[in-house]
Amino acid sequence: QVQLVESGGGLVQTGGSLRLSCAASGRPLSNTAMGWFRQAPGKEREFVAFINVIGSSTTYVDSVKGRFIISKDNDKNTLYLQMNSLKPEDTAVYYCAARGSTFLSSQSVFGYNLWGQGTQVTVSS
């Protein structure tokens, strides 16, 4: 069974840090591009970060540039999102996703065909 499982969310104060993990089973990350998305209450799911298949290229939404780092460990088959200098507006459920169609934008939810269940991140002011 192919599955993505996120962990590492929680409650943190403004300026704090968290590291999210996304463990993959049944699908090797070594040949998969991956992304992180987030969804705040009442809002659409939005793109956060992307990493290509070999991990040599990353893309971020402007609001997290310089604060978040996406990476993956192919040996552990795990994707990470290091989040630093957290702000209350970063509060959301965070989802990892495996890239599906390469014809669709890597910043679109439609470009991914496998999703985790999400992990809650709450940043208090």
Side-chain angles (χ1 to χ4, degrees):
Q1 181 181 2
V2 181
Q3 194 174 6
L4 300 175
V5 179
E6 299 100 334
S7 61
L11 173 64
V12 65
Q13 292 185 333
T14 296
S17 297
L18 284 174
R19 188 176 81 157
L20 305 184
S21 298
C22 171
S25 59
R27 183 169 179 174
L29 294 191
S30 58
N31 60 10
T32 305
M34 300 290 294
W36 284 99
F37 287 74
R38 65 187 180 187
Q39 188 166 18
K43 295 187 176 181
E44 293 187 351
R45 192 168 299 188
E46 68 166 352
F47 168 78
V48 176
F50 167 81
I51 187 166
N52 69 349
V53 172
I54 61 174
S56 62
S57 177
T58 57
T59 306
Y60 300 91
V61 66
D62 286 346
S63 60
V64 308
K65 283 181 181 176
R67 300 188 298 122
F68 289 13
I69 301 173
I70 185 172
S71 63
K72 57 174 178 164
D73 185 330
N74 291 334
D75 290 338
K76 295 182 179 180
N77 218 35
T78 301
L79 176 74
Y80 301 100
L81 185 67
Q82 177 66 44
M83 306 187 296
N84 302 318
S85 301
L86 283 161
K87 305 175 181 180
E89 51 264 43
D90 294 320
T91 295
V93 177
Y94 283 70
Y95 299 89
C96 63
R99 190 97 162 98
S101 170
T102 57
F103 294 102
L104 301 174
S105 170
S106 63
Q107 300 187 27
S108 167
V109 296
F110 299 107
Y112 298 80
N113 60 4
L114 179 65
W115 293 81
Q117 84 289 350
T119 185
Q120 176 71 47
V121 171
T122 303
V123 185
S124 63
S125 58

